[in-house]
Amino acid sequence: MAVQDIYPISLRLLGRPVLVVGAGPVAARRAKGLLDAGALVTVVAPEAEGGVRALADAGLVRWRERGYLAGDLDGVWFVQTATGVAEVDSLVAADAEAQRIWCVNASDHEASAAWTPAVAEVDDVKIAISAGGDPRRAAVLRSAVAVALECGDLPLRRHRTSPGASGSVALVGGGPGDPGLITVRGRRLLAQADVVVADRLGPRGLLADLDPEVRVIEVGKAPGHHLVPQQQINEILVREAQAGHRVVRLKGGDPYVLGRGGEEALFCRAQGIDVEVASGVTSAVSVPAAAGIPVTHRGLAKAFTMISGHEELSNVPAGSDHTVVLLMGVGTLRRSAELLAANGRGPDCPVGIIENGYGADQRVTIGTLAGIADQAEAAGVANPAVIVVGDVVRVSPLAAVALAKAKISID
């Protein structure tokens, strides 16, 4: 049978009787697939291996413990042969052909009236692949397509929705801005979105890959300038979801780490909107790593505190063996450095500032609490930036020269 003679189609077998002839491993797999489709499965075989026997013992299939008889086809909508005996499979297939019943002949794919595709299911999308009667080839292709779907590399967005369907909101952490650092779950949700409510610091490069029909609503905040107030962002999320849309709130970092994701989730749920949170790679940990700075390191720091640069620092544990990570702290850097130096760390405590982490224009400035504010001012350091204070800064391959200039030992 030539490949062009195949007409791909999906069968609704819910509540309909089907027949499986054979009871080996192939028959067991096919029987399970038919059960998943809601079919009423009868198995005919004189003996059954573990898979089919277990299904029969559980009452999921009816097992006729004998060889095949022509009358077994009466009232059947679909037949699968899998006896492993070509003569028996061909006999069943011929009887099915005479009664105009679709039959998959496992012993002879060329003569089979139908083929069983390799199937992948991701969310509510089911992909069935046939590959010229080569099941292993079909399985490899199926797996590749499934991975692409799961990773959001293929467009999963619905173009037809049921009338009155309710929308939803997904708070997606996009990581520090590099498109490769969004989670697989976040990427898939983005591929399903009808509306994306986007921050300034999220993975902006992914927006270009969206379906042209996806609306992008810009709500990004810059230091001292909130393009859209938080209350209005909350209302946008609810309004779009109530219109039946799948809404993705695409944020930088993690939605629940200084990202006001908790406020947005509470507001949406109070309005009866389903909310999913896809955690992201927080910039507090990932951006220092981009400069080779671990926030904890054996022998240097066992714990770290992450805090907004706008917050009071007097209660942060003293000592350079406890790392402090400041987010949004460039504007208050001088005051923060003075407080941390006076609170037990001393003026020689190392400091690293990473601007535009993972971006093409990433820049790292390393110094000490005594001079970092002057260095940053002279270099024109600006947000987005992550500031790391503590001995872990010494681990960075960039630290040796910078700290040597400051006459600080890196041993």
Side-chain angles (χ1 to χ4, degrees):
M1 181 181 293
V3 173
Q4 58 265 30
D5 294 336
I6 295 297
Y7 182 71
I9 194 168
S10 298
L11 298 178
R12 286 188 180 272
L13 294 175
L14 179 64
R16 291 173 174 159
V18 301
L19 179 67
V20 176
V21 182
V26 174
R29 290 198 302 272
R30 298 295 181 253
K32 288 177 182 177
L34 291 165
L35 288 170
D36 289 342
L40 305 177
V41 180
T42 296
V43 176
V44 173
E47 296 179 353
E49 295 188 9
V52 169
R53 185 177 293 275
L55 294 174
D57 290 344
L60 298 175
V61 303
R62 179 185 179 188
W63 175 27
R64 293 174 178 166
E65 198 172 345
R66 56 167 174 76
Y68 164 76
L69 300 174
D72 291 330
L73 295 175
D74 293 347
V76 167
W77 288 70
F78 177 81
V79 183
Q80 168 77 56
T81 75
T83 67
V85 180
E87 293 78 6
V88 176
D89 286 354
S90 295
L91 173 62
V92 176
D95 288 347
E97 183 84 10
Q99 296 190 44
R100 297 186 178 182
I101 300 171
W102 291 108
C103 176
V104 175
N105 184 346
S107 296
D108 188 351
H109 73 272
E110 291 290 345
S112 183
W115 292 345
T116 301
V119 175
E121 192 165 0
V122 177
D123 294 337
D124 59 348
V125 175
K126 182 173 285 189
I127 300 295
I129 296 179
S130 295
D134 185 338
R136 291 187 179 180
R137 182 186 183 205
V140 169
L141 290 170
R142 178 270 318 276
S143 297
V145 173
V147 169
L149 286 169
E150 290 168 351
C151 293
D153 292 333
L154 296 178
L156 280 167
R157 177 174 173 262
R158 293 187 178 99
H159 292 267
R160 179 185 295 175
T161 57
S162 302
S166 58
S168 62
V169 170
L171 307 180
V172 175
D178 186 320
L181 294 178
I182 191 172
T183 65
V184 171
R185 180 61 184 164
R187 185 68 181 87
R188 190 198 306 180
L189 288 166
L190 192 61
Q192 296 172 333
D194 301 308
V195 177
V196 177
V197 182
D199 267 357
R200 181 175 66 95
L201 299 180
R204 308 284 305 178
L206 295 177
L207 300 179
D209 297 332
L210 297 174
D211 187 297
E213 295 180 3
V214 176
R215 284 188 295 117
V216 177
I217 301 175
E218 299 284 359
V219 296
K221 299 180 179 71
H225 176 62
H226 290 191
L227 179 65
V228 181
Q230 185 61 50
Q231 180 61 27
Q232 189 174 341
I233 294 174
N234 296 346
E235 292 168 356
I236 289 170
L237 297 176
V238 169
R239 181 191 71 214
E240 295 295 340
Q242 288 177 337
H245 300 142
R246 283 190 170 188
V247 184
V248 164
R249 175 74 169 101
L250 184 61
K251 295 171 167 288
D254 182 276
Y256 281 2
V257 179
L258 301 180
R260 299 191 178 181
E263 298 174 37
E264 293 168 354
L266 288 172
F267 188 87
C268 290
R269 288 173 179 143
Q271 306 300 317
I273 304 299
D274 288 336
V275 179
E276 176 178 348
V277 179
S279 298
V281 179
T282 175
S283 58
V285 174
S286 61
V287 169
I293 301 173
V295 295
T296 63
H297 187 81
R298 186 168 62 173
L300 293 179
K302 294 181 179 179
F304 72 98
T305 295
M306 185 208 66
I307 192 167
S308 165
H310 305 298
E311 303 294 335
E312 182 58 57
L313 294 170
S314 59
N315 295 325
V316 173
S320 58
D321 59 346
H322 183 102
T323 306
V324 176
V325 179
L326 299 173
L327 302 183
M328 301 176 288
V330 173
T332 56
L333 177 59
R334 188 174 296 278
R335 178 172 175 271
S336 297
E338 291 171 353
L339 284 170
L340 289 170
N343 193 33
R345 294 173 184 269
D348 292 341
C349 180
V351 182
I353 305 176
I354 307 95
E355 300 171 80
N356 301 306
Y358 289 95
D361 53 350
Q362 174 178 303
R363 182 171 63 160
V364 180
T365 302
I366 292 178
T368 66
L369 286 174
I372 193 63
D374 290 336
Q375 281 181 257
E377 186 175 318
V381 170
N383 284 315
V386 174
I387 302 168
V388 185
V389 182
D391 286 335
V392 291
V393 174
R394 304 173 188 275
V395 178
S396 171
L398 306 174
V401 173
L403 293 180
K405 288 180 180 179
K407 297 182 181 180
I408 301 295
S409 170
I410 62 171
D411 296 331

